[in-house]
Structure formats: C-alpha cells, structure tokens
Amino acid sequence: MLYYIDSHSSETMRGGSELTSADGKKQDGLGLQYATAWSYGKAETFNMLIPNLYGGTSQGGFSQDGEVAGVLRNYRADVSQVPAYWGPQPMTSGPVYLGAVALLLAVLGMFVLRGRSKWWVFVVTLLAVLLSWGSNFMGFTELFFNHFPMYNKFRAVSSILVIAEFTIPLLAIFALKEILSKPDTLKLKENRGGMIATLVLTAGVALILAVAPGAFFSGFITTQEMAALKQALPAEHLAPFVANLTEMREAIIASDAWRSFFIIMIGCLFLFLYQQRKLKASFTLAGIALLCL
C-alpha cells in the first residue's frame, strides 16, 4: 500500500512542485501549515470518551424544528448557519469517538494484563494521539514532518487517529478476554487499585463534565463565530444570543457526558455480576457487545 501511495503521489500536490521558493528550495510533499490545518485539539482528545464534547459536526449541527432552532429564531438567526461544532479545527464531519465501554476496558487492561504486549499498544496509541495534535504540539509534529519518510504526505494530521481506533478496541478485547477467562481477576488485591483508577479516569471524567461542563472551558464561542455574529446581529441581540448558544452547547456536553457515564457504569455492573458468579461468561460478553453497539 505504501508503494502504491508513493508511486502516485508524484502526480498530486503531495509530490512537490517544479517551482522554487524564495530561499531556492523546492517543496517535497505538502506544506507544514497545510498539513496541520486540521489538527486535533488537546482537550478535543476527550471526544474519544464523550463524542459531542465540542458539539459534533460542523454541517447541520442543529435540527430545523428542535429547541435550538426555536431559541435562535427569537434572535432572527438561521439555525442552519450555526454549526454545533465549536472546536479548534476549521470544520469537521464528526468526532473520533471510540466508545465509553471500549475505553473502560482498555484502561482497565493496562492494570490487569500481564506481560509486555500491552505496552506496544499503549505506546502506539500515545504516539498517534500526540501526532494528531499537529500545530498544537508543533515541535513533535515538525520532527516527524521533516525527518520521517512520507509523513509529509498526510493531508490532515488528525487522520492518524485511525491508529487509536484500532489499538484501543484491541486492548479492550485483550482485557475482556483476561477477565472472562479468569473470573477472579478483578478480585485480586493487586488489581483493586487499578479498577479504582480506571473508574476515575473514565466514569469520573464523564461525571465531572456532566455536572459542570462550563468549568473546563473559557468560552463556547470561537473567535471566528463571534466576528460573524457581530456582523449578523444587532448589538442588542448579540449578548442574549451568545448566552443562549453557550447554554445549548453546555447542555450538549452534559447530555453526552451523562450518557458515557451511565454506559460505563452499566459495563461495570456486567463485570461485577460476572465476578460474583451471578452472570455467565456468555451473557457477560453479549451484554458488553450490545452495550458497545
């Protein structure tokens, strides 16, 4: 596949240009600024746990006949022109959501799995996350962009999160296999601390964001949005409109965070019933699978 990409890239903008820059150098691959335009925000990484932490999609984020549309019309605003997404990327068709249960099991796997296999999965996942930050972690991005073959062919550095979409579910499967094949895994003294840490890092984070979504963000309106709103709305409508839009985006975060929290707790309930011998392995597996779906 790499050979196929390399052989065709010369015919695209990824293959460089015959033109030379002011310093006399020819460009090979995409420009750094272009490649990092779609950089995942550091806080946006929590979308893996709470999908609509930053609103979700840029296209048609709000229903034409929902509560949001009703409020916005009070300020003579067209709901179709207001994106639900308010994160750092120019636009997005949706978040990289990995599943609350998958994350629960993957984090738990780092504590209950023995041997070295889990560490390569962890390192590869961490590497993908750090590289997805792009311009938000520019020193690390430039290292790969300038020195690693073909990395400058990426159109959007955030696409590397496809690696995490594979490795995290894989680690979750390893963890679930360990728990189902050894029913006393979670009862072991050395794993109790890991179970508590897992709940804090997954259910705990979701609960905090559900209860106080506004405590972790300095604002829910981007600079570009604010500039556009100042042009589109009369001055007397701007402040109440911004207040309403902020309230709606807080509600979206809280709703998604509560959903992730309850999904995680139901997943924990399946695992608890299994270790108490009140649920068979087959039913536990089926329950976890349905919860993931």
Side-chain angles (χ1 to χ4, degrees):
M1 189 177 81
L2 290 175
Y3 170 78
Y4 177 83
I5 294 171
D6 184 56
S7 62
H8 283 76
S9 65
S10 60
E11 306 299 327
T12 71
M13 62 188 296
R14 290 166 172 77
S17 172
E18 292 300 315
L19 303 176
T20 56
S21 59
D23 58 6
K25 295 180 180 178
K26 288 187 177 182
Q27 179 177 305
D28 176 26
L30 300 174
L32 181 62
Q33 184 176 0
Y34 180 87
T36 57
W38 269 262
S39 297
Y40 229 63
K42 293 179 180 179
E44 199 173 10
T45 307
F46 285 99
N47 274 340
M48 294 179 179
L49 175 66
I50 302 166
N52 291 320
L53 184 67
Y54 277 88
T57 177
S58 300
Q59 296 84 26
F62 296 113
S63 169
Q64 293 287 342
D65 56 359
E67 274 187 55
V68 176
V71 172
L72 297 187
R73 288 191 190 102
N74 293 336
Y75 301 104
R76 301 199 297 274
D78 182 2
V79 67
S80 65
Q81 300 302 312
V82 182
Y85 178 75
W86 55 276
Q89 298 182 77
M91 63 181 68
T92 178
S93 57
V96 179
Y97 175 59
L98 298 179
V101 175
L103 274 173
L104 168 72
L105 291 169
V107 175
L108 186 58
M110 292 303 300
F111 295 102
V112 304
L113 292 173
R114 301 292 177 257
R116 294 178 295 178
S117 297
K118 64 182 178 182
W119 291 110
W120 74 261
V121 179
F122 173 78
V123 170
V124 168
T125 304
L126 180 62
L127 181 64
V129 170
L130 295 179
L131 287 173
S132 75
W133 290 348
S135 60
N136 299 307
F137 198 26
M138 189 58 92
F140 194 65
T141 298
E142 285 183 322
L143 172 68
F144 274 75
F145 195 86
N146 295 327
H147 300 291
F148 282 71
M150 296 186 67
Y151 191 73
N152 62 2
K153 310 299 183 185
F154 272 95
R155 177 180 174 272
V157 293
S158 59
S159 62
I160 202 168
L161 283 174
V162 70
I163 293 174
E165 291 178 310
F166 171 76
T167 55
I168 288 180
L170 179 65
L171 187 57
I173 290 170
F174 288 161
L176 187 58
K177 179 181 181 297
E178 179 76 8
I179 293 168
L180 294 181
S181 61
K182 301 175 183 177
D184 293 328
T185 297
L186 300 180
K187 290 183 179 180
L188 297 176
K189 187 176 181 180
E190 61 267 27
N191 289 335
R192 291 174 187 169
M195 188 65 190
I196 294 172
T198 298
L199 284 173
V200 170
L201 292 171
T202 54
V205 171
L207 182 61
I208 292 171
L209 287 167
V211 173
F216 301 91
F217 301 98
S218 57
F220 292 84
I221 311 292
T222 66
T223 304
Q224 294 81 359
E225 277 184 318
M226 185 59 77
L229 288 173
K230 286 180 179 179
Q231 291 184 342
L233 293 174
E236 63 272 18
H237 290 307
L238 182 61
F241 179 84
V242 168
N244 273 273
L245 187 56
T246 297
E247 185 179 342
M248 292 171 206
R249 285 175 171 168
E250 284 185 334
I252 290 172
I253 294 174
S255 174
D256 255 30
W258 277 121
R259 180 174 57 189
S260 291
F261 173 77
F262 285 119
I263 287 175
I264 289 169
M265 297 312 295
I266 295 170
C268 288
L269 178 62
F270 280 124
L271 297 179
F272 175 77
L273 292 175
Y274 176 69
Q275 76 161 10
Q276 295 297 320
R277 307 292 200 280
K278 295 182 179 180
L279 202 61
K280 293 182 179 180
S282 57
F283 288 111
T284 303
L285 180 60
I288 293 291
L290 286 173
L291 203 55
C292 287
L293 291 174

